[in-house]
Amino acid sequence: NAGVTQTPKFQVLKTGQSMTLQCAQDMNHNSMYWYRQDPGMGLRLIYYSASEGTTDKGEVPNGYNVSRLNKREFSLRLESAAPSQTSVYFCASSYGTLQETQYFGPGTRLLVL
Amino acid sequence: GENVEQHPSTLSVQEGDSAVIKCTYSDSASNYFPWYKQELGKRPQLIIDIRSNVGEKKDQRIAVTLNKTAKHFSLHITETQPEDSAVYFCAASFNDYKLSFGAGTTVTVRA
């Protein structure tokens, strides 16, 4: 099992460009999450999907959109990137609610110039 | 939402000594408190968690305590080893799918 995978590993964007971060899990998990991690601020939830076909906002959703493509895949889209979106993005999944172990992907490092 | 404060931000301990990290939370409805370890350049990994109906939980050299009345919880690492050097994050749930994380504690174990 690969667990949770993310692509790309690293990306540089110019302000105003768009891109999609991809995430996939092969653990048959129902719930998937997108976080961003900034220095000194821990992880902050951007969006989550409790089950296939549903998505909900987290703590910092502005400037992002998500798609739960199927049970395995959950993508994060930046429509018009801003320097404030420079961060490390982690995807995670869990079988059910958070009270079951949440597994993280390796992260995507994004730099917006 | 939930607000989680974590202290200290950095902690240096001698190998073999104990390390303690403390967190406080604001939402009395929070009922799940996980701790994650993140090594440099790696993903966060769950190391231990505790639910609101339990006061203490141990797993080998790590333990977590929860005081619901005071709204604080702590991570205790005993007999620290060099491989315990990492950033540790506490978190508290404020619904079934939302976790609020502390800012992290960088633990350095000196040989």
Side-chain angles (χ1 to χ4, degrees):
Chain A
N1 285 352
V4 181
T5 57
Q6 293 182 234
T7 56
K9 287 188 170 62
F10 180 69
Q11 184 74 45
V12 179
L13 290 179
K14 293 181 180 177
T15 297
Q17 287 185 317
S18 63
M19 79 162 294
T20 300
L21 281 65
Q22 306 286 355
C23 173
Q25 51 87 13
D26 62 1
M27 297 177 281
N28 199 34
H29 283 173
N30 294 300
S31 307
M32 298 185 74
Y33 312 80
W34 275 106
Y35 291 92
R36 60 177 288 173
Q37 184 175 35
D38 301 297
M41 296 186 74
L43 292 108
R44 290 182 293 169
L45 182 66
I46 304 170
Y47 271 94
Y48 68 96
S49 170
S51 60
E52 186 178 355
T54 69
T55 61
D56 282 288
K57 294 178 181 179
E59 188 182 349
V60 288
N62 290 348
Y64 305 95
N65 286 302
V66 290
S67 295
R68 183 74 182 266
L69 304 169
N70 48 54
K71 190 171 185 179
R72 291 187 62 247
E73 298 172 288
F74 188 38
S75 63
L76 179 72
R77 182 159 178 84
L78 287 70
E79 290 291 351
S80 178
S84 60
Q85 294 178 305
T86 293
S87 189
V88 180
Y89 291 86
F90 286 99
C91 177
S93 70
S94 62
Y95 185 73
T97 68
L98 285 168
Q99 301 218 13
E100 301 185 53
T101 303
Q102 195 173 65
Y103 295 89
F104 283 83
T108 294
R109 190 172 294 274
L110 177 66
L111 176 61
V112 182
L113 302 174
Chain B
E2 174 68 276
N3 183 42
V4 177
E5 294 192 359
Q6 183 172 347
H7 300 280
S9 56
T10 60
L11 182 59
S12 180
V13 296
Q14 191 70 36
E15 184 177 355
D17 286 350
S18 295
V20 180
I21 303 169
K22 298 183 179 182
C23 291
T24 60
Y25 61 99
S26 59
D27 188 345
S28 57
S30 292
N31 62 1
Y32 175 63
F33 307 90
W35 286 86
Y36 290 85
K37 176 183 180 181
Q38 187 177 28
E39 296 176 357
L40 190 62
K42 304 288 187 183
R43 71 193 77 190
Q45 291 192 297
L46 180 73
I47 55 170
I48 196 167
D49 57 13
I50 192 166
R51 289 164 177 76
S52 60
N53 59 347
V54 175
E56 183 175 1
K57 184 177 178 180
K58 283 186 180 180
D59 183 4
Q60 299 182 339
R61 294 187 299 105
I62 60 174
V64 59
T65 58
L66 171 65
N67 183 327
K68 283 212 73 180
T69 303
K71 291 191 278 189
H72 65 72
F73 56 114
S74 302
L75 178 73
H76 303 251
I77 308 172
T78 58
E79 300 172 20
T80 53
Q81 300 168 5
E83 54 263 37
D84 294 329
S85 294
V87 180
Y88 292 81
F89 293 96
C90 63
S93 65
F94 57 99
N95 76 12
D96 282 342
Y97 298 96
K98 292 183 179 179
L99 278 179
S100 187
F101 284 79
T105 297
T106 301
V107 174
T108 303
V109 180
R110 307 187 306 272

